[in-house]
Amino acid sequence: MSAGGAFGGNRGARPVPPEKGVFPLDHLHECDLEKKEYLACLKSTGAQSEKCRMFSKKYLECRMERNLMAKQDMAELGFGNADAVVTSSEKDSKLESPASDSEEKK
């Protein structure tokens, strides 16, 4: 008696997780917004992916949060501190800081 399935597979065995770089499709469209933002950025920049890194990062973070890919440190995926998404209020405070520092020194 054979323990294999109809096509020689081992019935009852646990499935093997996908190799790195292979991950489940987003059948429920959980990360569609992030994907569309990234693709729109690529289209508007003439496929210059460097200009769309923040959208790429958001998309990968979305996939990891929803277990559509293995959780991994963003630095391992090529995103460093320079790729951090900065909000407009954080930009404003950074712009104001040097001026206030020079005023304090006077």
Side-chain angles (χ1 to χ4, degrees):
M1 181 177 229
S2 172
F7 297 102
N10 189 2
R11 297 237 177 192
R14 293 187 54 138
V16 178
E19 296 291 325
K20 182 174 178 162
V22 178
F23 41 81
L25 295 176
D26 186 5
H27 292 291
L28 301 177
H29 308 284
E30 297 176 73
C31 297
D32 264 9
L33 177 63
E34 291 82 357
K35 176 182 72 174
K36 288 176 182 177
E37 287 175 337
Y38 177 65
L39 293 174
C41 179
L42 286 176
K43 187 175 183 179
S44 70
T45 62
Q48 295 179 18
S49 61
E50 282 298 312
K51 293 182 178 181
C52 303
R53 287 180 61 81
M54 69 176 182
F55 295 108
S56 175
K57 182 177 181 182
K58 282 175 52 179
Y59 176 64
L60 292 172
E61 288 173 335
C62 176
R63 291 189 62 86
M64 284 188 266
E65 288 168 5
R66 289 159 177 81
N67 294 319
L68 293 169
M69 65 181 285
K71 288 185 171 51
Q72 197 169 354
D73 189 279
M74 294 308 286
E76 293 176 17
L77 296 174
F79 296 94
N81 290 336
D83 297 308
V85 177
V86 179
T87 64
S88 58
S89 61
E90 288 173 336
K91 284 180 187 175
D92 293 341
S93 65
K94 286 180 182 179
L95 292 174
E96 293 171 5
S97 318
S100 59
D101 290 343
S102 61
E103 290 174 10
E104 291 175 12
K105 292 178 183 176
K106 288 182 181 178

